[in-house]
Amino acid sequence: MSNRDRPLSPHLQIYRPQITSVLSILHRATGVALVAGLLALVYWLAAAAAGDAAFAAAQGFLASWIGRLLLLAWTFAVFFHLANGIRHLVWDMGRGFELKTVTASGWLVVAVSAVLTLLTWVAAYGLRGSGT
Amino acid sequence: MSASLRTALGRVRGLGSAGEGTAHWWAQRLTAIALVPLTLWFVISVVMLTGAGRGEVVGWLARPFNFGAMGLLVGAGIHHAQLGLQVVIEDYVHAEPVRVAGLMAMKFAAVLLALVAAVSLLSIFVRG
Ligand code: HEM
C-alpha cells in the first residue's frame, strides 16, 4: 500500500524552521503532553479518593524535583495550547490569515504563555512559601 | 442538469475521508471552547491548593461548584484529547492494522480514564 516512490511535498529537510511551522508542531506536542497531564490529574483525583496514604504518595511525587519539572512543563503546555488554540479558533472564523498577522499573533502567543507560566509559579510559591 | 431528489444537506452529509463529515472537527472546536474557562479555573484552583493536605483538597472538591467544574474539565478534556490523539495516530501510523489497533486501544483507554475519574469524583463527593 505504501508507495515509497511517490512524490513528497517539500518538508523538514527542505524548509528552515519558521515561527509558523514551529508553533504548529508545538501545538501538537503540547496537546500530547497535556494528555499525559490529564493522566496525572486523574491519578491525583483517584489518590485523593483512595485515602491519606495514596494521596501523600501522589503529593510526594508531585513535589519531588521531577514532579515539579513535569508541573512546570505542563504549566507552559497548558498556556501555550490554550493561547494557540484561541489563535486556531480565530483562524476557523476566517480571520487573521495575513502573513504579518500570523507572525504577530504567533509571537503574542509565545509571550503570553511565557508570562502566564512565570506568574503562575510566582503565585504558587508566593501563596505557600516554599511549598511542600 | 437533471433535478435530484436529494437535498443539498443529504448529499454532503457524512462526506470526508473518514465518512464522518464535519462531526469530528466540530466536536474538537466545541470542547476547545468549553476548555478555555475550565482550564483557567483549574490552573487558578491548583495554585490556591499548592501544598494542601488531603482534607483540604477533598473538602474543596466536595463543594458542588468545584465538583461540577472538575467533572466538566475532565470530561471535556478527555473527549478533546481523544479526538486530538485520533488525528495524531491517523497522521503518523500508516500500516492499517496497526493504526486500527492503536485507535481502538486509545479510545478504550480514554473511556477507562473517564470512568476512573468519575468514580473518584463521586466517591469524594459522597464520602469525602
Ligand atoms: C485538557 C487539556 C487539553 C488537552 C489534553 C488537549 C489535547 C489536544 C490534542 C492531543 C490535540 C491534537 C493536536 C493535533 O492534532 O496536532 C489538540 C488539538 C486542538 N486543541 Fe487541545 N487540548 C487541551 C486543551 C485545549 C484548550 C484549552 C484549547 C483552547 C482553545 C484547545 C484547542 C485546540 C484546538 C483548536 C485543536 C485543533 C488544532 C488543529 O486543528 O490542528 N485545546 N488538543
Side-chain angles (χ1 to χ4, degrees):
Chain A
M1 265 195 327
S2 61
N3 171 11
R4 302 258 168 229
D5 296 328
R6 75 195 193 282
L8 280 178
S9 29
H11 59 290
L12 291 179
Q13 293 159 7
I14 311 296
Y15 286 125
R16 76 186 154 72
Q18 300 168 77
I19 179 81
T20 41
S21 56
V22 172
L23 295 200
S24 169
I25 193 59
L26 253 187
H27 193 76
R28 175 158 285 189
T30 52
V32 173
L34 288 175
V35 176
L38 215 47
L39 289 173
L41 171 60
V42 173
Y43 160 64
W44 186 75
L45 292 173
D52 286 328
F55 190 70
Q59 292 292 74
F61 171 71
L62 289 172
S64 69
W65 68 267
I66 189 159
R68 285 182 203 214
L69 210 62
L70 281 169
L71 287 169
L72 180 63
W74 283 324
T75 313
F76 179 78
V78 87
F79 284 133
F80 177 85
H81 194 93
L82 175 77
N84 202 53
I86 293 173
R87 187 164 168 250
H88 263 282
L89 295 175
V90 174
W91 288 332
D92 291 338
M93 297 187 294
R95 298 164 148 275
F97 283 114
E98 299 75 21
L99 219 44
K100 270 188 155 171
T101 319
V102 170
T103 307
S105 64
W107 285 113
L108 181 67
V109 160
V110 172
V112 164
S113 20
V115 168
L116 288 180
T117 302
L118 192 73
L119 279 180
T120 302
W121 280 69
V122 167
Y125 274 92
L127 281 177
R128 291 285 172 155
S130 58
T132 25
Chain B
M1 230 176 95
S2 65
S4 169
L5 286 177
R6 300 187 65 192
T7 60
L9 179 63
R11 261 181 282 124
V12 298
R13 196 175 262 160
L15 292 183
S17 55
E20 57 178 30
T22 53
H24 181 286
W25 186 91
W26 186 235
Q28 184 100 57
R29 312 298 129 165
L30 274 186
T31 49
I33 293 166
L35 283 168
V36 172
L38 289 169
T39 42
L40 288 174
W41 163 84
F42 174 73
V43 172
I44 294 170
S45 306
V46 165
V47 166
M48 311 272 260
L49 287 169
T50 310
R54 177 169 179 269
E56 202 178 331
V57 169
V58 162
W60 177 83
L61 269 173
R63 291 220 289 273
F65 180 87
N66 298 331
F67 170 75
M70 186 62 86
L72 287 176
L73 170 76
V74 174
I78 291 176
H79 192 43
H80 179 89
Q82 168 275 119
L83 291 163
L85 283 183
Q86 178 188 335
V87 179
V88 175
I89 293 173
E90 285 167 351
D91 278 357
Y92 298 136
V93 185
H94 298 300
E96 179 148 3
V98 188
R99 181 173 62 233
V100 172
L103 285 170
M104 275 167 49
M106 185 274 291
K107 303 251 165 179
F108 180 74
V111 173
L112 205 68
L113 191 69
L115 262 173
V116 173
V119 170
S120 304
L121 277 173
L122 280 172
S123 152
I124 289 171
F125 191 63
V126 175
R127 302 184 309 150

